[in-house]
Amino acid sequence: MKLAMGSDHVGWELKQEISEYIQSLGHETVDFGAYSSERTDYPKYGKKVAEEVASGQFDGGVLICGTGVGISISANKVKGIRAVVCSEPYTAKLSKQHNNTNIVAFGSRVVGVDLAKMIVKEWLEASYEGGRHAKRVNMIGEIETQE
Ligand code: RB5
């Protein structure tokens, strides 16, 4: 898989480790910043990664800020994006199986590196189940078409 990655300054260090881990699992990653601990703003990276994923050029995205909250909210403003913020692997797995999430987010101030790896692994290995879940996921998409 090809994954788009982004973080703010709080998440960039964990992002390096998670990017290497994703690559070790046999996937490709592209980092859209931030590239240092210099203070910056999470909405820029949430938006950028979300646009890249929504364009269809990536199989998914991984976003990290202090809590994962601000950067996932930002990503969810982009049409076609279903970003989940997780602090444990069960939600990550179910979010892919039931909600067809295309971005996973977490907080570098919330999870350690080992837990972050578990979250990412479960999310990458899970598949959308469709079926009874498809109607509801389609209903999410319909919200985007309403003013
Ligand atoms: C930055 O201080 C912090 O607010 C940000 O990383 C994130 O936690 C926001 O949701």
Side-chain angles (χ1 to χ4, degrees):
M1 282 193 266
K2 189 175 173 188
L3 285 310
M5 297 193 67
S7 72
D8 68 356
H9 54 295
V10 182
W12 83 273
E13 207 167 347
L14 180 58
K15 183 180 59 185
Q16 310 314 308
E17 293 195 67
I18 296 303
S19 177
E20 283 176 24
Y21 176 66
I22 291 171
Q23 290 171 19
S24 78
L25 296 176
H27 306 293
E28 183 185 343
T29 61
V30 178
D31 185 357
F32 290 97
Y35 302 112
S36 76
S37 60
E38 188 179 335
R39 190 179 297 268
T40 183
D41 304 305
Y42 58 77
K44 285 195 278 190
Y45 308 98
K47 178 175 185 277
K48 176 64 179 166
V49 166
E51 286 173 345
E52 293 291 338
V53 172
S55 77
Q57 295 185 69
F58 288 85
D59 300 300
V62 179
L63 291 171
I64 310 170
C65 66
T67 59
V69 173
I71 205 160
S72 61
I73 291 174
S74 306
N76 275 318
K77 298 296 179 188
V78 175
K79 192 174 178 187
I81 292 303
R82 292 171 302 281
V84 61
V85 56
C86 301
S87 53
E88 38 72 31
Y90 180 77
T91 302
K93 178 179 179 176
L94 268 288
S95 80
K96 180 77 82 66
Q97 292 178 335
H98 291 191
N99 315 112
N100 200 14
T101 50
N102 46 17
I103 290 181
V104 65
F106 40 87
S108 62
R109 289 172 170 158
V110 180
V111 299
V113 64
D114 287 347
L115 187 51
K117 287 177 181 176
M118 291 170 73
I119 290 168
V120 164
K121 189 167 191 289
E122 287 291 331
W123 187 78
L124 287 173
E125 291 180 354
S127 300
Y128 177 47
E129 292 177 352
R132 68 190 162 97
H133 305 294
K135 177 187 168 196
R136 296 157 189 160
V137 172
N138 290 339
M139 287 171 74
I140 295 172
E142 284 167 17
I143 297 169
E144 292 175 336
T145 67
Q146 295 162 6
E147 287 296 311

